[in-house]
Amino acid sequence: MKVLATTLISLFMFASAASQAQTGAAQADASPTASAQDSHSIKITRSGSQQPSKGPAEYFTGSVQAQPLFPAHDPSRTSGGKVTFEPGARSAWHTHPLGQVLIVTEGTGWIQQWGGPIEEIRKGDVIWIPAGVKHWHGATPNTAMTYVAIQEELNGKAVEWMEKVTDEQYRK
């Protein structure tokens, strides 16, 4: 047990020293003319700099605002956005090739997997949607909902849109 603890502490200290050395080297190599787009530079997207847009009517029912938060940056395939649904608004049925995570930040909404019951989701809930699972999500009839969506792209595509959720399906 002592050997394991000593090994872990040594690895931690080695990793910490290596990280500090890399940071120092990066700071020494950095020049004022270095591009913010450089793939080896941290990129900060300031709050409010990404403007929301209306959710396209072919993929959403009701009033929906979608705000990109971050695109996939090579070699990563992960992208994210913030989506706000007004009461009664919802997405069409869709799937994600590598799954999706939703983090509800405001309000109350609904989510449904094809063939399953409608489930309520609330502020603070984190929802994992597995790859290829047909589903929809949106606000309840009387409450708005906002979430942060995080998904991975496969061959440049993060979502496969399908038919709209009917009023009958939404009210079940």
Side-chain angles (χ1 to χ4, degrees), residues 4-44:
L4 177 61
T6 303
T7 302
L8 290 174
I9 290 169
S10 296
L11 287 172
F12 174 78
M13 290 173 53
F14 177 78
S16 179
S19 176
Q20 288 175 354
Q22 287 176 342
T23 300
Q27 288 173 344
D29 291 341
S31 72
T33 59
S35 168
Q37 299 300 321
D38 183 349
S39 65
H40 297 289
S41 298
I42 292 173
K43 182 175 181 353
I44 299 171

Side-chain angles (χ1 to χ4, degrees), residues 42 47 58 60 69 74 76 92 112 123 163:
I42 292 173
S47 177
E58 65 185 301
F60 297 97
L69 294 177
D74 280 338
S76 172
Q112 183 180 25
K123 181 179 179 176
E163 72 274 14

Side-chain angles (χ1 to χ4, degrees), residues 11 19 21 30-31 38-39 42 50 52 61 68 72 79 85-86 90 98 112 114 118 127 138 143 165:
L11 287 172
S19 176
S31 72
D38 183 349
S39 65
I42 292 173
Q50 304 275 51
T61 299
S79 62
F85 295 82
E86 293 302 318
R90 58 198 178 266
L98 296 174
Q112 183 180 25
W114 185 259
I118 292 175
I127 300 95
T143 310
V165 174

Side-chain angles (χ1 to χ4, degrees), residues 10 12 16 46 54 97 103-105 115 122 142 144 147-148:
S10 296
F12 174 78
S16 179
R46 298 291 176 197
K54 183 178 170 121
I103 304 165
V104 182
T105 60
R122 295 177 293 282
N142 301 312
Y147 61 66
V148 171

Side-chain angles (χ1 to χ4, degrees), residues 106-120:
E106 295 294 328
T108 304
W110 287 343
I111 187 165
Q112 183 180 25
Q113 178 174 327
W114 185 259
I118 292 175
E119 297 188 56
E120 187 174 277

